[in-house]
Amino acid sequence: MTGSLTDPEALRERALAALLAARDRTTLLTSCVEEFELTAQHSPLMSPLVWDLAHIGNQEEQWLLRAVAGRDAMRPEIDPLYDAFEHPRAERPSLPLLAPKEARGYAAEVRGRALDVLEKTPFHGTPLTDAGFAFGMIAQHEQQHDETMLITHQLRTGPTALTAPDPPACEPFTGPAEVLVPGGPFTMGTSTEPWALDNERPAHRRLVPPFFIDTTPVTNGAYQQFIEDGGYARMRWWDPAGWAMVREHGLRAPLFWHQEGGRWLRRRFGTVEPVPADEPVLHVSWYEADAYARWAGRRLPSEEEWEKAARHDPVTDRSTRYPWGDADPTPERANLGQHHLRPAPAGSYPAGESPLGVRQLIGDVWEWTSSGFLPYPGFSAFPYREYSDVFFGGDYKVLRGGAFSVDAVACRGTFRNWDHPVRRQIFSGFRTARDAGPAETSAPESA
């Protein structure tokens, strides 16, 4: 653990920087469109942007001002409006929500008071304040809603509202297509990361047999081969529920793709462009990822396989915070934080590769795994059941690694995301894996 993750004053500075960065991003996402677009519902899958804005402020008030500082509620009457469990997204436009100007004012007033609480709160003494957990949790919460709002921007129609430079150019990747991850135990999860959320805890040992994993995420070009080979027309590759989805909705390509003049185009934040063959495929459901893997004679990695590939250093037998080690993400290591509005070409970011040479495990695209969302042994819900506990079981599938849409504060080697296997609007891609045979894992004989 680096000193900045154990020193209280360094953590206070980290929390301040994370809160300010999150609010800057929220401001960008809610100021780049006309106010009528803030109150509109661009998809029944998403909330109006103005709901997310006030919800961010309401959660910050509830946890930092009320729970940490013990202050009275500022606007108790709006709590039910911004309770995500009380009102599904599809019905939120019909609620008496705060208007954009009022929502901005409320969030700003909460933030001013919260920064005062941050300055005065000891980072010890209670589970909420130890290592500044509550402040880190709220920064992560805001960034998660920023990603949700970015998804809304992708779903909206109309002229381009967001712009960003492309990821830096890199040499075409010429390394191996797959990497062997040796079998054996490793430490999964964490008991020491100060702002890790409850579903990442506690650290525990897992025994993982040897397996091969793709060196990079599956690309658009590779996925087009699946399409051209009749991937969406052959039931044999599909989970029964996935095949029913394909048939019901007439799917034949990832979301936002269409064919014109014999070539595939995609819509990306209001711009229509050719699908770049070398980028990781994006906006595919778990069912599509699973079908591709079967077609390719492979499978999706399990959650523990993904984490072992991302964190385990076979030389030291340590599980690091990130594939490249314990240091924080940088622009040279990973595509995070909405600095670019697209994934980088597959094979980018050699500085971010794992000890075994696996690339882009952090950033670019969320990666579907084969695993359902379940608690770790010894799990304890904290600070509220509704973050993780109520989602365990069911049909949720785990995604790992984060995407270009994710901020570093809400992304690490232990971070777990989850969603229904039908979801396509999220910034999701995947890589594949396969079992390693005995002949592939035995050490070569000495000459």
Side-chain angles (χ1 to χ4, degrees):
M1 185 71 67
T2 59
S4 63
L5 297 182
T6 56
D7 176 67
E9 292 315 306
L11 280 165
R12 195 183 309 277
E13 293 178 9
R14 181 180 284 254
L16 175 61
L19 289 167
L20 295 178
R23 188 52 49 88
D24 286 345
R25 187 178 176 196
T26 300
T27 300
L28 170 65
L29 290 164
T30 56
S31 64
C32 63
V33 292
E34 299 292 336
E35 296 217 340
F36 75 89
E37 294 211 61
L38 296 179
T39 57
Q41 187 171 45
H42 299 280
S43 165
L45 295 171
M46 311 304 291
S47 307
L49 292 169
V50 75
W51 185 92
D52 287 288
L53 174 59
H55 171 77
I56 286 167
N58 187 249
Q59 287 291 292
E60 187 165 328
E61 184 202 345
Q62 289 194 43
W63 287 104
L64 300 188
L65 303 189
R66 302 184 206 174
V68 172
R71 299 185 183 182
D72 292 336
M74 292 169 55
R75 300 282 300 270
E77 76 281 1
I78 69 171
D79 288 356
L81 298 177
Y82 298 102
D83 185 333
F85 286 86
E86 190 163 331
H87 301 288
R89 289 176 175 177
E91 71 177 40
R92 290 172 190 172
S94 64
L95 300 174
L97 303 176
L98 301 182
K101 182 178 180 180
E102 192 176 8
R104 287 192 184 99
Y106 169 64
E109 185 176 0
V110 171
R111 173 50 57 88
R113 298 184 186 189
L115 294 183
D116 179 63
V117 172
L118 172 62
E119 183 179 347
K120 297 176 181 177
T121 300
F123 274 21
H124 60 82
T126 71
L128 269 181
T129 58
D130 284 347
F133 175 82
F135 301 94
M137 178 184 72
I138 287 300
Q140 291 178 82
H141 175 266
E142 182 163 355
Q143 287 286 2
Q144 288 169 322
H145 276 272
D146 288 341
E147 183 181 14
T148 299
M149 289 193 283
L150 188 63
I151 293 170
T152 301
H153 274 278
Q154 169 64 11
L155 287 164
R156 65 178 281 275
T157 57
T160 300
L162 294 168
T163 60
D166 287 341
C170 67
E171 293 294 324
F173 181 67
T174 58
E178 62 179 4
V179 168
L180 172 66
V181 180
F186 87 107
T187 299
M188 186 173 187
T190 180
S191 297
T192 57
E193 184 75 27
W195 297 346
L197 303 172
D198 59 3
N199 61 64
E200 301 170 66
R201 301 172 182 270
H204 58 287
R205 296 290 277 180
R206 290 278 182 103
L207 179 63
V208 179
F211 67 98
F212 284 90
I213 192 166
D214 289 340
T215 309
T216 71
V218 170
T219 63
N220 290 319
Y223 198 84
Q224 284 181 43
Q225 295 177 31
F226 167 66
I227 297 172
E228 292 162 5
D229 194 44
Y232 283 86
R234 298 182 181 178
M235 182 175 64
R236 63 181 295 192
W237 307 125
W238 294 84
D239 178 281
W243 181 244
M245 180 185 75
V246 169
R247 301 289 288 176
E248 179 183 355
H249 299 287
L251 304 184
R252 55 190 293 263
L255 186 61
F256 306 117
W257 286 30
H258 71 277
Q259 209 165 18
E260 186 177 299
R263 64 175 182 166
W264 286 104
L265 305 177
R266 70 177 180 186
R267 180 169 60 82
R268 183 177 62 85
F269 298 107
T271 298
V272 175
E273 61 190 13
V275 172
D278 61 351
E279 279 186 16
V281 67
L282 193 62
H283 297 301
V284 289
S285 67
W286 183 90
Y287 291 126
E288 290 166 292
D290 177 64
Y292 173 94
R294 296 188 201 200
W295 169 82
R298 298 170 69 83
R299 58 177 174 78
L300 295 179
S302 67
E303 185 180 12
E304 53 263 40
E305 286 176 333
W306 188 97
E307 187 168 328
K308 185 169 185 180
R311 299 185 62 216
H312 183 65
D313 185 339
V315 174
T316 63
D317 193 33
R318 283 190 62 239
S319 288
T320 56
R321 298 177 67 219
Y322 299 98
W324 55 82
D326 293 330
D328 288 339
T330 64
E332 293 74 35
R333 294 177 175 133
N335 181 8
L336 294 167
Q338 199 183 306
H339 297 302
H340 314 293
L341 290 171
R342 64 195 305 162
S348 297
Y349 303 104
E353 70 179 19
S354 74
L356 294 172
V358 188
R359 294 197 180 183
Q360 289 168 288
L361 286 157
I362 296 293
D364 286 304
V365 295
W366 284 109
E367 298 185 16
W368 288 109
T369 72
S370 64
S371 300
F373 186 50
L374 296 170
Y376 289 160
F379 167 83
S380 178
F382 176 77
Y384 57 104
R385 286 191 63 241
E386 290 78 11
Y387 182 74
S388 303
D389 195 32
V390 298
F391 295 102
F392 291 138
D395 73 343
Y396 295 102
K397 295 294 185 180
V398 174
L399 302 101
R400 288 302 205 103
F404 66 87
S405 53
V406 179
D407 188 79
V409 75
C411 183
R412 49 196 162 263
T414 57
F415 193 92
R416 307 172 76 195
N417 190 8
W418 66 95
D419 214 328
H420 296 291
V422 299
R423 290 289 187 252
R424 308 173 84 214
Q425 81 275 14
I426 59 178
F427 299 108
S428 52
F430 64 100
R431 71 181 74 215
T432 67
R434 68 177 177 91
D435 297 342
E440 295 175 301
T441 59
S442 58
E445 293 184 6
S446 301

